[in-house]
Amino acid sequence: MAEAEAMQLKEEGNQHFQLQDYKAATKSYSQALKLTKDKALLATLYRNRAACGLKTVWEGEGWGAEGGTGMRESYVQAASDASRAIDINSSDIKALYRRCQALEHLGKLDQAFKDVQRCATLEPQNQSFQETLRRLNTSIQEKLRVQFSTDSRVQTMFEILLDRNSEADKLEKAANNLIVLSREEAGAERIFQNNGMALLMQLLDTKKPELMLAAVRTLSGMCSSHRARATAILHAVRIDRICSLMAVESEEMSLAVCNLLQAIIDALSGEDKQEHRGKEEALVLDSKKDLKQITNHLLDMLVSKKVSGQGRDQALNLLNKNVPRKDLAIHDNSRTIYVVDNGLRKILKVVGQVPDLPSCLPLTDNTRMLASILINKLYDDLRCDPERDHFRKICEEYITGTFDPQDMDKNVIAIQTVSGILQGPFDLGNQLLGLKGVMEMMVALCGSERETDQLVAVEALIHASTKLSRATFIITNGVSLLKEIYKTTKNEKIKIRALVGLCKLGSAGGTDYALRQFAEGSTEKLAKQCRKWLCNASIDTRTRKWAVEGLAYLTLDADVKDDFVQDIPALQAMFELAKASSGRTPDKTILYSVATTLVNCTNSYDVKEVIPELVQLAKFSKQHVPEEHPKDKKDFVDMRVKRLLKAGVTSALVCMVKADNAILTDQTKELLARVFLALCDNPKDRGTIVAQGGGKALIPLALEGTDVGKVKAAHALAKIAAVSNPDIAFPGERVYEVVRPLVSLLNTQRDGLQNYEALLGLTNLSGRSDKLRKKIFKEKALPDIENYMFENHDQLRQAATECMCNMVVNKEVQERFLADGNDRLKLVVLLCGEDDDKLQNAAAGALAMLTASHKKLCFKMTEVTTQWLEILQRLCLHDRLSVQHRGLVIAYNLLAADAELAKKLVESELLEILTVVGKQEPDEKRAAVVQTARECLVKCMDYGFIKPVS
């Protein structure tokens, strides 16, 4: 019974195969294989299933997987099935040839050659076998030639690099060639196989920076996407030596070694997304030990005095990137737990470093901030309250353990640690502020005579006063101290930080006019001092940065922002600082502060909608109701925008957008997008923004960043695209990048204004070229445009119809109207009958284009609705000449399409309408209308339906 069923399944498989349903055929053969033990039948089934595997790939279906991986799996399966058939019958010529085909696609040319050679021996006259034999022979020879030439190139490069007498140019060229070669799989393998590791180690031993750099970069290329090589390199060079190379003062070397370690980590953890099979997988089944060893060495680097500031930064960067989970949906956070248990105290030590103390580790300007970011990421990566409690206890024990009544340096370090945590996980920092003695120590340090103590205390107070509740406490306890420090200190660094502390406390009420923390006029005085420091070019950039940060807080006050935008030198000083920070001397905090200040000045922050009923309810229940400052009204905001544009804000924003992604965070991008949107609000200002490069700068903001930021940037792009010449606003190929952000605004979740302005922008773009129309079609905008043509809102419906009027020139769009079973043409015809002139104009334009492009659409128009003739007559008699002209063009298209259709039109009142219009005097305005009517009449004469009057 089983054998008979197996035979039946085989026949079914054959039928499926002939019908090219290879998946169904494979299923039948697989079921048959489970039922039979007959060797001849088994061989046939395996052979046939191998054929299905090959056909599946060639037809582009894969074996259920996607892309290259699925294709490879299919070839591996086909080769395996063919091998099983050959095991039963070694002379099975079909199985041999199918295995040959599969092996060739897997790159195993020598094995494929052996199989086809056997086929050619069994059937010498078969031309297909002979052709495959010749092709494989040529491919093998070429592969050998490349392999040997690569070997010789590698050898030559090492000889030049290790020769002490080599010229500098030759050395540089050889080093660069070696790096390039290592980035190709074949080249990396040849270097590895040809004693390359030993030679690279010799280069590292030369102590010559350029040769060591070349060796490190070559090793990075060799590790990339190859777990076995990465493991071998890690063990050969040793992690302690790699870390010692990263610890050097040279920024270039430190960064190169960081990239090498990242390549090793990616390869070992599988982040390179490569499939590992066979020998390579067997070599390194478990890389957890190596990854743990790397993590331990990086944590040790954080607290070592031998490590440079650059090296410490790179160690922090690697921990930031590789320890916390990239996706919180992944359950396993064991790497974070391990680092918290074994390294949190070391990270806290870095956060607590005070540069002016003799015990301070070598640091850069960014080291402490990077450590704060790492603490924040680790804390966010914890899954439950017990894990967070454990984290907090370690921090509490470290801080309380550092306090020492006899040693002021230790107390300063403890407060600096709290200050660093406040820049990371703020909730945790807030809990630590509640520890016994912390706030008291801050206040005590403010009163210290030592400037270092004052500096740390003031910064800690600044970071502690982010929340209104905490700020209220500090206003009560610390404002007088900050004022005292501000008045008495001669150190500019402390003075400006004290001022920023006061700025932050002064803005604790946000934009709420009723919650002013200081007396009337105090915040304006603070802002005036900030502007004074900002304009003082003799002060170092880092200190001036604090002045911008002070303004970022104070400009929440409408009086302050109004004064600031009138101070042109201060504005331009801030813009120059932003340009410098996004160029040669990058600083992400300056960019963020400048962007925040501009958001405040343009009022482009989110404002909660005020519901009058809730306001009345709040007043009745004696709750606080936020009040709007008189200078936050629209006319004041518009005036501030004008002044910012006049001061050159657009060029500053353009420079900031060009900053490197490491400096320009997603949050800063969102702030910049908000500012751009506010600047674009008035159509008269958009030309100025385009002229200064604002259009081009908005494109990256609309494609990358936070969801809110991308929507704001896309909206600003829509405003520009709606009124500007796209060739000027978005020159060259950039214009095609604008389409996707505009299409995203058609989403029904966006508000009506965004939908409307996106449609206007797309209308303008679609009128430029067919290439742009194709791009809009490819981005699947047509269904959304059609939906808005049904919209009840008059302006949205009109904008969508105008966009469609431009889009129907495109052939793919015309195909949608030609397709059966849809009401697209009916909708356009009915829209021609609406009362709105602009809507009629757009719909008539679309209909004129469509009926001119295809005769089939002329016939279809007469079938979609019984009102078509009445609508056409109304168009031909319309008061608006542009609508009337389009109606007459539609009439001409119908007349020209078919004699029967023309006869139907002539028998109606349309002939009388055409006669009346055609007899009119063609003045300048009516020339096109009269001419088209006359052409219609000439067409009727051609058919013989009417005769000319002599």
Side-chain angles (χ1 to χ4, degrees), residues 754-767:
Q754 290 170 342
N755 300 152
Y756 177 68
E757 292 189 320
L759 285 167
L760 293 184
L762 289 170
T763 303
N764 198 7
L765 293 180
S766 59

Side-chain angles (χ1 to χ4, degrees), residues 523-704:
T523 46
E524 286 93 316
K525 285 178 187 174
L526 292 173
K528 192 175 180 182
Q529 185 58 52
C530 282
R531 299 204 309 268
K532 188 177 171 185
W533 265 317
L534 187 57
C535 294
N536 188 346
S538 62
I539 299 174
D540 66 279
T541 303
R542 196 156 177 229
T543 307
R544 288 168 75 205
K545 176 189 88 173
W546 283 95
V548 182
E549 191 159 329
L551 285 167
Y553 293 116
L554 290 176
T555 47
L556 286 165
D557 185 303
D559 288 320
V560 171
K561 51 185 147 185
D562 224 48
D563 292 343
F564 182 43
V565 294
Q566 292 179 55
D567 187 345
I568 301 299
L571 275 180
Q572 289 175 341
M574 183 176 82
F575 296 158
E576 289 306 315
L577 202 60
K579 288 174 184 177
S581 301
S582 53
R584 287 170 296 172
T585 52
D587 188 325
K588 66 177 80 174
T589 52
I590 291 184
L591 294 187
Y592 188 80
S593 299
V594 171
T596 305
T597 305
L598 291 172
V599 164
N600 292 341
C601 289
T602 56
N603 282 38
S604 47
Y605 41 72
D606 289 328
V607 180
K608 286 183 180 177
E609 187 184 351
V610 177
I611 301 167
E613 292 82 358
L614 289 179
V615 172
Q616 292 299 321
L617 189 64
K619 284 179 179 176
F620 180 75
S621 57
K622 296 183 179 177
Q623 295 293 315
H624 172 69
V625 179
E627 291 179 29
E628 186 185 39
H629 194 290
K631 288 184 179 176
D632 273 332
K633 290 188 164 44
K634 191 168 187 325
D635 51 345
F636 281 96
V637 176
D638 292 344
M639 188 59 70
R640 287 200 289 271
V641 167
K642 291 273 184 206
R643 284 180 174 144
L644 284 170
L645 284 166
K646 195 174 179 182
V649 68
T650 309
S651 58
L653 291 171
V654 170
C655 282
M656 289 165 76
V657 171
K658 289 177 183 173
D660 187 77
N661 266 349
I663 304 143
L664 191 67
T665 62
D666 285 352
Q667 287 72 25
T668 308
K669 285 179 188 174
E670 182 186 318
L671 295 176
L672 295 178
R674 287 175 180 276
V675 177
F676 265 123
L677 182 56
L679 297 177
C680 292
D681 192 52
N682 189 337
K684 291 177 183 176
D685 297 330
R686 293 173 199 171
T688 308
I689 293 163
V690 167
Q692 293 176 9
K696 292 178 283 185
L698 274 164
I699 296 170
L701 295 179
L703 297 172
E704 295 172 4

Side-chain angles (χ1 to χ4, degrees), residues 407-560:
D407 189 340
M408 189 54 81
D409 284 1
K410 285 187 175 180
N411 295 334
V412 172
I413 289 167
I415 296 303
Q416 183 82 318
T417 307
V418 174
S419 179
I421 295 169
L422 282 163
Q423 292 175 75
F426 188 81
D427 292 340
L428 173 65
N430 242 348
Q431 288 176 320
L432 297 174
L433 283 173
L435 283 174
K436 188 179 177 184
V438 170
M439 292 302 297
E440 290 79 0
M441 182 55 70
M442 277 191 198
V443 175
L445 289 175
C446 282
S448 169
E449 292 180 5
R450 194 166 65 159
E451 289 186 341
T452 303
D453 300 351
Q454 291 181 5
L455 196 66
V456 170
V458 169
E459 282 197 23
L461 282 170
I462 290 169
H463 298 309
S465 58
T466 299
K467 287 277 197 266
L468 181 59
S469 57
R470 186 62 58 190
T472 309
F473 172 85
I474 295 167
I475 285 167
T476 312
N477 295 274
V479 168
S480 56
L481 284 167
L482 285 172
K483 284 182 179 175
E484 187 63 31
I485 289 170
Y486 178 69
K487 287 175 186 173
T488 56
T489 186
K490 292 178 181 177
N491 185 323
E492 289 285 334
K493 290 181 179 179
I494 297 171
K495 203 177 189 76
I496 200 163
R497 282 164 175 76
L499 181 76
V500 173
L502 290 167
C503 293
K504 198 167 182 181
L505 296 171
S507 65
T511 57
D512 187 349
Y513 186 45
L515 276 183
R516 285 187 152 197
Q517 300 293 331
F518 295 159
E520 189 81 36
S522 297
T523 46
E524 286 93 316
K525 285 178 187 174
L526 292 173
K528 192 175 180 182
Q529 185 58 52
C530 282
R531 299 204 309 268
K532 188 177 171 185
W533 265 317
L534 187 57
C535 294
N536 188 346
S538 62
I539 299 174
D540 66 279
T541 303
R542 196 156 177 229
T543 307
R544 288 168 75 205
K545 176 189 88 173
W546 283 95
V548 182
E549 191 159 329
L551 285 167
Y553 293 116
L554 290 176
T555 47
L556 286 165
D557 185 303
D559 288 320
V560 171

Side-chain angles (χ1 to χ4, degrees), residues 36 56 131 226 321 417 435 466 495 516 699 811 939 948:
T36 184
T56 303
E131 178 56 39
H226 202 291
K321 187 171 182 182
T417 307
L435 283 174
T466 299
K495 203 177 189 76
R516 285 187 152 197
I699 296 170
K811 286 182 180 176
K939 201 74 191 169

Side-chain angles (χ1 to χ4, degrees), residues 294-356:
I294 292 169
T295 304
N296 286 333
H297 275 81
L298 290 174
L299 290 168
D300 290 341
M301 282 183 76
L302 298 184
V303 291
S304 169
K305 282 217 162 191
K306 294 177 183 176
V307 176
S308 69
Q310 294 292 345
R312 211 175 311 280
D313 282 4
Q314 299 304 347
L316 285 164
N317 280 329
L318 285 166
L319 290 165
N320 264 317
K321 187 171 182 182
N322 298 293
V323 174
R325 291 170 290 171
K326 290 179 176 62
D327 182 1
L328 294 179
I330 300 165
H331 189 69
D332 180 22
N333 69 339
S334 55
R335 283 182 295 190
T336 294
I337 299 297
Y338 180 80
V339 169
V340 168
D341 288 341
N342 297 280
L344 182 55
R345 289 173 182 82
K346 293 173 182 176
I347 302 164
L348 289 169
K349 184 173 180 179
V350 177
V351 163
Q353 292 301 299
V354 180
D356 295 334

